[in-house]
Amino acid sequence: MNEIITVMKREVRLGFRNPWSYTFLVLFIIFMLSLLLINGQGYTSGYSGMTGMLINLTLYLLPLITLMLGSFSLTGEKEDGSAQLLYTYQLSSSSLLIGKYVGVLIVLLTIVTVAFSVTGIVSTLFTEGFAVSTYLLLFIFASCIIIAYLSIAFLIGAITKNRWQALTYVIAVWFFTIIGWVPILIAALGQLPYLWIKPVLTIATLLNPAEWIRIYTIVTLGGGSIIGPEYYNWVTWIRDDSGSFAFGLLLIFHVILYVGCASWLRERGKRHG
């Protein structure tokens, strides 16, 4: 446990010294303020066109930044040789990756919390803005996106050897899960027999964290009718009392799966040199 805490503290110090973190903070505040000022003419409660736009634009920015910062935290050590030095210590790969994951997560969540706080205060002073419950749910949505994509970033960092290679994988994952998801899914489902569409759609949605987190947020905001009849069972499931509990378990399983795979790959690389 002490090893995990030591690694976590080191990662937090490195994260707040990284200029990328502050660039991300400024970008996120500008982006949030722009949307909130656009929304300044009215008051938004529950799901609306403005909350939908905020969710979609958050999906463009947060996964990309999270994937870059998370994967670079591992590949940076490979490039400067400190990863080889860490192999000589009595430190297990799981302890190292858990400590690094929690450390980077603290940095990213702090940035998002500061951005939401600043923009929330400014929008409250100058506009009517969002209802508190809606704004809080949007913050939870952003936090879940970071938690899910950071675990994928660690798997990318474990697979790749340097920052350029990691950047290639990051852009591929970001493009496939965010930008190209809908047209690729529609094209693929259109080639399948009718009876296969629903189960394949369910499996594909579970493989894309951006999609199931987005669906959960929209349904919780009361906009379940816009996501289509194919997701009727999802809407029913999320609205059930156990929906939030099951969503939390799914998020935890996602993190354990990807960070566990990254730990196994690192341990394998440690044994084979």
Side-chain angles (χ1 to χ4, degrees):
M1 190 64 184
N2 289 335
E3 298 167 342
I4 295 175
I5 294 174
T6 302
V7 173
M8 180 196 72
K9 288 180 177 177
R10 176 179 178 272
E11 206 61 36
V12 170
R13 284 196 299 273
L14 291 175
F16 284 119
R17 290 175 186 169
N18 190 343
W20 284 62
S21 302
Y22 299 99
T23 304
F24 171 39
L25 176 62
V26 172
L27 277 175
F28 201 68
I29 288 177
I30 293 173
F31 148 73
M32 288 282 293
L33 269 179
S34 301
L35 288 176
L36 292 175
L37 291 175
I38 291 172
N39 187 52
Q41 302 300 319
Y43 179 77
T44 301
S45 176
Y47 186 79
S48 67
M50 182 51 63
T51 50
M53 183 187 298
L54 189 56
I55 287 172
N56 289 333
L57 291 181
T58 300
L59 282 175
Y60 289 133
L61 182 61
L62 270 185
L64 181 62
I65 298 295
T66 303
L67 287 170
M68 289 174 64
L69 291 179
S71 60
F72 288 0
S73 72
L74 292 182
T75 53
E77 289 181 346
K78 294 178 182 177
E79 286 183 331
D80 63 22
S82 55
Q84 296 298 324
L85 179 63
L86 286 172
Y87 285 160
T88 64
Y89 294 170
Q90 294 297 321
L91 176 64
S92 67
S93 295
S94 58
S95 297
L96 176 69
L97 291 185
I98 291 172
K100 289 178 75 66
Y101 179 86
V102 175
V104 178
L105 184 63
I106 289 173
V107 173
L108 289 170
L109 290 182
T110 301
I111 290 170
V112 171
T113 303
V114 171
F116 266 82
S117 301
V118 170
T119 52
I121 291 170
V122 172
S123 65
T124 301
L125 291 175
F126 297 101
T127 69
E128 292 189 35
F130 288 91
V132 174
S133 58
T134 302
Y135 200 64
L136 181 61
L137 193 54
L138 291 173
F139 171 73
I140 293 172
F141 164 73
S143 301
C144 289
I145 287 292
I146 289 174
I147 292 169
Y149 271 88
L150 186 58
S151 61
I152 297 175
F154 269 51
L155 181 58
I156 293 174
I159 294 171
T160 54
K161 296 178 180 177
N162 53 56
R163 287 187 177 93
W164 283 110
Q165 199 176 44
L167 185 60
T168 304
Y169 280 68
V170 162
I171 292 175
V173 170
W174 174 77
F175 182 84
F176 182 77
T177 60
I178 306 296
I179 303 295
W181 177 253
V182 173
I184 292 172
L185 193 63
I186 292 174
L189 292 178
Q191 307 304 315
L192 297 176
Y194 179 76
L195 292 177
W196 289 20
I197 292 178
K198 201 165 185 178
V200 171
L201 178 64
T202 301
I203 294 171
T205 303
L206 288 173
L207 293 175
N208 184 355
E211 191 64 7
W212 49 264
I213 293 173
R214 184 182 73 89
I215 291 173
Y216 174 81
T217 306
I218 290 175
V219 173
T220 308
L221 286 169
S225 59
I226 72 153
I227 59 177
E230 292 81 5
Y231 287 105
Y232 176 78
N233 290 336
W234 284 68
V235 175
T236 305
W237 165 64
I238 293 170
R239 284 178 177 169
D240 189 77
D241 292 339
S242 60
S244 295
F245 179 72
F247 173 80
L249 287 181
L250 179 60
L251 185 61
I252 293 170
F253 172 76
H254 176 92
V255 172
I256 292 175
L257 176 65
Y258 282 94
V259 176
C261 288
S263 175
W264 177 79
L265 286 171
R266 188 182 183 282
E267 196 64 33
R268 184 171 176 271
K270 186 178 175 181
R271 287 198 301 270
H272 293 83

